[in-house]
Every structure is written in structure tokens, then in C-alpha cells.
Amino acid sequence: MIHNKYFWYVLMLGALVLWVFAVALICIFPEWDYKAVLFIGLIILHGVEIPYVFNILKKDVSTVTIAIKTFLFGFTWWLPVKKGILQG
């Protein structure tokens, strides 16, 4: 199952849904003081991953692609690319 590319596509879709959910929290609950915790957490987590992924995939994938896809999808994108399940 973990070697199935559709498994990883579903996880990437989940990552996008999480981004949408984080933004929706900010819009739906403007009075909530901690509304941006999830959004800021995603920014920090995915931002910290980018330098690590550069070192892993820099020979095979462009730096712009690495930055954008890692920021959007996190490990659900770069791990299957590293393992050869998906192409960068």
C-alpha cells in the first residue's frame, strides 16, 4: 500500500485540505484568539522541511519545485519522490 502512488496522492490531498481548514478557521472564527495556531504551525513545519529536502532531492528536482511542493504537501510529496514512487 505504501508503494502505491495513489496512497501518496490521497495524503497530498489531505495536506491541501489541512491548509484550507487552517485558513477557514481564521475566516470563520475571527474572535478566537488562537485561530492562527494551525496555520502558523503548518508554515513553520513545512518551512523547516525545505532545507532538508533540498539536500535530498537537489540533483533530481529543481529548487523552485522543491520549495513549492514541500511547502504545500510536506513529507507526503518528497518521501515518495525520494523512494522513486513518484516523480518530482
Side-chain angles (χ1 to χ4, degrees), residues 2-3 7-8 11-12 49 52-53 56-57 69-70 73-88:
I2 200 165
H3 297 289
F7 171 79
W8 293 102
L11 289 181
M12 285 189 272
E49 278 182 292
Y52 175 73
V53 180
I56 295 173
L57 300 178
K69 289 187 176 183
T70 301
F73 305 115
F75 82 93
T76 63
W77 171 76
W78 65 261
L79 187 60
V81 171
K82 176 185 170 190
K83 293 181 179 268
I85 300 166
L86 299 176
Q87 293 189 1

Side-chain angles (χ1 to χ4, degrees), residues 6-23:
Y6 297 108
F7 171 79
W8 293 102
Y9 288 145
V10 169
L11 289 181
M12 285 189 272
L13 179 62
L16 290 178
V17 168
L18 189 59
W19 278 108
V20 170
F21 180 73
V23 171

Side-chain angles (χ1 to χ4, degrees), residues 52-70:
Y52 175 73
V53 180
F54 276 140
N55 289 332
I56 295 173
L57 300 178
K58 64 184 172 189
K59 295 175 186 168
D60 303 321
V61 184
S62 76
T63 56
V64 173
T65 300
I66 289 171
I68 292 171
K69 289 187 176 183
T70 301

